[in-house]
């Protein structure tokens, strides 16, 4: 198998600053983040949501509650996969009814993960509004889904891989683009 | 941890890690029972045959509920109306069911080993929902989930099982699960229902026919249903059973104060269990039922998909 060529899209410092900037954008566009809650999509959406909440807290003193969403059971590709992935729990310790929610994920690609996440959220109640925040938008959407907050837009080919590393999970902050030579 | 088996035929063959994995997966499905909208489309287009060659209400409804919650269809075979009454052999019946192309078959049968026999002959996953005097693995798992929820652990528990151990597949599945976590198991009941060879099933097992000796120190007390027809073989008048073995508040008080009181149902109040015990805060009877749906959802999900895959390289 030919080795893939990796290029760095964001360094550790750039990754940290990008997340910080996203937090400030959320504060600006949501009116001091009043009444919003952040929903991190497992896995890397979760530490991202926690960091965004930290920025919101520092900027406004407002506490944005965090929920964790596992979308495994809502995936549309289970029948294509030869095996079912392990299910993890969804932990949203507040009612989503009438709430202003921001879904948080690391990479926006086809939009199918977000479709699954929206389905999952609506099984829990009826939010007032759902927005999307992603660290990287790599294009190639297969559904009419867009993010309100984007850290970095990247031109990719469909077969490329965007690798997001976050300190909490991977021990370092870094975003890499892997492409076939 | 990976899930490497195709069928669930018993808990005896499961490793401690596999049991832990199945309970962890079940916990994810417990969360869904608490959602306002409990119905998923995860197994849309899949179907499960519920082949109950022996009558059952709660287990069959529990599997049917689990399948419905995941969006799968179910096809029911019930003993009373089945072609087995017309003399068809088990293998012909299940091959007929398989020809309808289900994705999984859940089977209950009066003959021990029937699910194994079926699993060897069919190309689809088989879940044992109770076979003869052998095993009832999903009950063993749901009981373990209930214990771990209540006590916060499964390790090193003193477990006392009271009643008709000989005829109980629930007892056997529980013994296999709990002994793998270091459980010390005490079997209590009339001598005719305590097979002398049973302590050989697992380490740290003992027989104690006297209930006041069997309960002290117990973290878990399992009361089994008395099948009244079995009281005749040999004869033990129900009054005598009640006097010697009914779980009363005074007897339950001999166990640890935080002990959980379990019953696989259906309960006969006033026979094996005093209503005050059945309704006490220590009783987990209804939690067991709720957890049963979660465990069965996890089993249907995992078995119709096979082993878990590595995460897809780039989800969208």
């Amino acid at each position: 198998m030919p080795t893939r060529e990796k290029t760095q899209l964001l360094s550790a410092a750039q990754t940290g600053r990008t997340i910080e900037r996203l937090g400030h954008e959320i504060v600006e566009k949501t009116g001091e983040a009043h009444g919003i809650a952040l929903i991190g999509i497992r896995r890397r959406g979760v530490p991202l949501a926690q960091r965004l909440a930290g920025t919101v807290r520092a900027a406004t003193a407002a506490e944005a509650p965090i929920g964790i969403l596992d979308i495994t059971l809502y995936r549309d590709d289970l029948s294509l996969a030869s095996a079912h992935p392990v299910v993890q729990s969804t932990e949203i310790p507040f009612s989503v009814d009438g709430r202003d929610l921001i879904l948080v994920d690391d990479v926006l690609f086809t939009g199918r993960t977000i479709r699954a996440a929206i389905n999952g959220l609506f099984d829990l109640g009826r939010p007032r509004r759902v927005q999307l925040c992603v660290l990287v938008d790599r294009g190639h959407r297969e559904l009419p889904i867009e993010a309100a907050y984007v850290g970095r837009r990247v031109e990719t080919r469909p077969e490329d891989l965007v690798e997001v590393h976050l300190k909490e999970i991977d021990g370092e902050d870094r975003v890499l683009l892997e492409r076939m030579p | 941890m990976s899930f490497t088996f195709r069928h669930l035929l018993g808990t005896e063959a499961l490793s401690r890690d596999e049991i832990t994995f199945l309970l962890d997966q079940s916990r994810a499905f417990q969360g869904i029972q608490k959602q306002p909208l409990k119905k998923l489309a995860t197994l849309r287009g899949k179907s499960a045959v519920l082949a109950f060659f022996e009558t059952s209400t709660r287990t069959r409804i529990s599997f049917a509920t689990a399948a419905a919650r995941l969006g799968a269809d179910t096809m029911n075979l019930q003993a009373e109306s089945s072609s087995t009454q017309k003399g068809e052999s088990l293998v012909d019946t299940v091959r007929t069911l398989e020809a309808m192309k289900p994705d999984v078959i859940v089977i209950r049968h009066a003959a021990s080993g029937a699910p194994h026999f079926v699993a060897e002959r069919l190309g689809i996953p088989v879940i044992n929902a109770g076979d003869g005097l052998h095993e009832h693995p999903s009950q063993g798992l749901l009981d373990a989930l209930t214990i771990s929820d209540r006590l916060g652990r499964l390790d090193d528990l003193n477990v006392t099982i009271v009643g008709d151990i000989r005829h109980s597949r629930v007892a056997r599945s529980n013994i296999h699960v709990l002994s793998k976590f270091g459980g010390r198991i005490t079997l209590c009941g009339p001598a005719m229902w305590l097979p002398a060879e049973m302590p050989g099933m697992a380490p740290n097992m003992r027989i104690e026919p006297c209930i006041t000796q069997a309960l002290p120190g117990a973290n878990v007390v399992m009361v089994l249903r008395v099948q009244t027809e079995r009281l005749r073989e040999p004869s033990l008048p129900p009054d005598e059973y009640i006097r010697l073995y009914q779980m009363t508040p005074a007897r339950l008080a001999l166990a640890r104060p935080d002990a959980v009181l379990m019953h696989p149902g259906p309960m006969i109040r006033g026979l094996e269990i005093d209503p005050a015990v059945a309704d006490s805060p220590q009783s987990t009877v209804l939690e067991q039922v709720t957890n049963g749906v979660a465990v069965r959802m996890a089993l249907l999900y995992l078995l119709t998909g096979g082993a878990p895959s590595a995460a897809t390289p780039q989800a969208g």
Side-chain angles (χ1 to χ4, degrees):
Chain A
M1 195 175 136
T3 48
R4 287 167 175 268
E5 191 184 298
K6 286 195 190 186
T7 50
Q8 181 169 287
L9 295 175
L10 296 174
S11 67
Q14 288 170 320
T15 305
R17 276 203 303 277
T18 306
I19 298 169
E20 179 94 19
R21 197 200 77 223
L22 286 169
H24 287 291
E25 269 185 51
I26 289 173
V27 170
E28 283 161 29
K29 291 197 198 165
T30 56
E32 300 289 290
H34 199 72
I36 66 151
L38 299 163
I39 307 284
I41 300 175
R42 278 194 201 275
R43 281 175 79 202
R44 290 184 179 72
V46 177
L48 275 178
Q50 284 159 346
R51 288 206 221 170
L52 293 170
T55 305
V56 168
R57 192 184 307 118
T60 66
E63 199 61 51
I66 297 171
I68 297 173
L69 189 63
D70 183 82
I71 57 122
T72 312
L73 295 170
Y74 295 91
R75 284 170 60 160
D76 61 4
D77 58 353
L78 289 175
S79 56
L80 305 177
S82 61
H84 288 175
V86 172
V87 186
Q88 288 182 287
S89 59
T90 284
E91 292 157 29
I92 300 185
F94 47 84
S95 166
V96 301
D97 283 321
R99 233 172 156 139
D100 203 345
L101 301 178
I102 300 181
L103 272 172
V104 183
D105 203 5
D106 54 351
V107 179
L108 177 58
F109 182 24
T110 60
R112 288 177 190 268
T113 297
I114 305 305
R115 192 283 307 162
I118 293 170
N119 274 36
L121 276 184
F122 278 75
D123 279 0
L124 300 172
R126 186 182 186 281
R128 188 175 77 84
R129 178 169 71 159
V130 181
Q131 291 182 297
L132 175 62
C133 175
V134 296
L135 184 59
V136 178
D137 180 351
R138 56 161 296 184
H140 304 288
R141 217 76 77 235
E142 293 168 6
L143 293 169
I145 282 170
E146 288 310 324
Y149 310 94
V150 178
R152 176 78 175 265
R153 281 178 218 278
V154 188
E155 292 284 326
T156 62
R157 292 177 299 193
E159 65 275 18
D160 294 342
L161 285 179
V162 174
E163 248 181 52
V164 172
H165 295 214
L166 293 173
K167 268 186 287 196
E168 296 86 337
I169 292 172
D170 313 288
E172 57 163 8
D173 280 354
R174 207 141 88 104
V175 180
L176 301 168
L177 175 64
E178 263 190 73
R179 44 181 22 153
M180 300 298 286
Chain B
M1 177 60 219
S2 63
F3 185 74
T4 50
F5 40 93
R6 255 201 98 198
H7 309 287
L8 182 72
L9 301 176
T11 55
E12 183 174 8
L14 297 179
S15 69
R16 187 190 154 106
D17 282 352
E18 284 168 333
I19 293 166
T20 304
F21 172 77
L22 288 173
L23 297 182
D24 284 344
Q25 287 293 277
S26 302
R27 285 193 184 90
F29 291 92
Q30 275 180 316
I32 292 161
Q33 315 298 312
K34 296 175 191 140
Q35 291 181 189
L37 216 151
K38 299 171 187 68
K39 171 121 179 159
L40 300 168
T42 313
L43 298 186
R44 184 173 47 200
K46 303 229 177 195
S47 55
V49 164
L50 308 182
F52 281 72
F53 294 94
E54 208 184 54
T55 51
S56 157
T57 308
R58 58 184 57 222
T59 305
R60 188 167 49 80
I61 287 180
S62 181
F63 271 107
T65 305
R69 296 249 161 101
L70 286 167
D73 296 311
T74 47
M75 306 179 258
N76 273 289
L77 174 138
Q78 274 160 274
E80 317 83 75
S81 56
S82 86
S83 49
T84 52
Q85 301 290 322
K86 300 170 193 159
E88 190 178 49
S89 75
L90 174 61
V91 71
D92 283 331
T93 304
V94 294
R95 283 200 175 126
T96 304
L97 295 170
E98 188 190 30
M100 297 174 196
K101 306 296 176 198
D103 298 284
V104 58
I105 179 165
V106 178
I107 179 169
R108 167 167 288 191
H109 201 283
S112 301
H116 304 66
F117 174 87
V118 170
E120 279 165 21
R121 283 160 184 81
L122 298 193
I124 55 170
V126 175
I127 298 177
N128 179 3
D131 62 326
L133 305 185
H134 178 235
E135 279 223 46
H136 189 356
S138 59
Q139 180 79 40
L141 292 169
L142 75 89
D143 286 344
L145 184 63
T146 307
I147 294 168
S148 136
D149 278 359
R150 276 280 187 119
L151 299 181
R153 67 189 171 108
L154 268 187
D155 287 293
D156 302 320
L157 297 170
N158 296 322
V159 180
T160 301
I161 309 179
V162 183
D164 182 358
I165 315 281
R166 179 181 295 277
H167 299 102
S168 176
R169 51 197 177 207
V170 174
R172 283 176 181 76
S173 286
N174 266 298
I175 290 166
H176 289 306
V177 171
L178 296 170
S179 63
K180 281 173 185 140
F181 289 83
R184 289 168 295 275
I185 292 154
T186 302
L187 306 177
C188 177
M192 62 189 187
W193 288 343
L194 291 177
E197 70 281 6
M198 253 179 109
M201 271 177 73
N204 296 318
M205 242 170 93
R206 65 177 179 129
I207 280 181
E208 176 50 73
C210 173
I211 196 162
T212 53
Q213 299 296 313
L215 289 168
N219 304 96
V220 175
V221 178
M222 284 186 190
V223 177
L224 301 175
R225 179 168 69 102
V226 171
Q227 292 163 281
T228 42
E229 64 277 15
R230 299 215 194 271
L231 286 170
R232 286 193 295 268
E233 38 161 84
S235 105
L236 176 70
D239 288 352
E240 194 69 353
Y241 188 87
I242 292 168
R243 190 174 67 78
L244 292 170
Y245 295 107
Q246 185 185 74
M247 192 56 60
T248 59
R251 285 176 175 157
L252 184 58
L254 296 172
R256 292 174 58 91
D258 63 345
V260 289
L261 184 278
M262 316 186 78
H263 193 300
M267 279 190 294
I268 309 174
R269 284 169 186 263
L271 180 52
E272 72 266 16
I273 192 163
D274 183 312
V277 168
D279 300 327
S280 77
Q282 282 169 277
S283 163
T284 61
V285 172
L286 295 176
E287 282 152 70
Q288 287 169 270
V289 176
T290 306
N291 286 337
V293 176
V295 164
R296 288 162 183 138
M297 284 174 82
L299 292 172
L300 291 171
Y301 171 76
L302 290 165
L303 288 172
T304 57
S309 59
T312 43
Q314 190 96 66

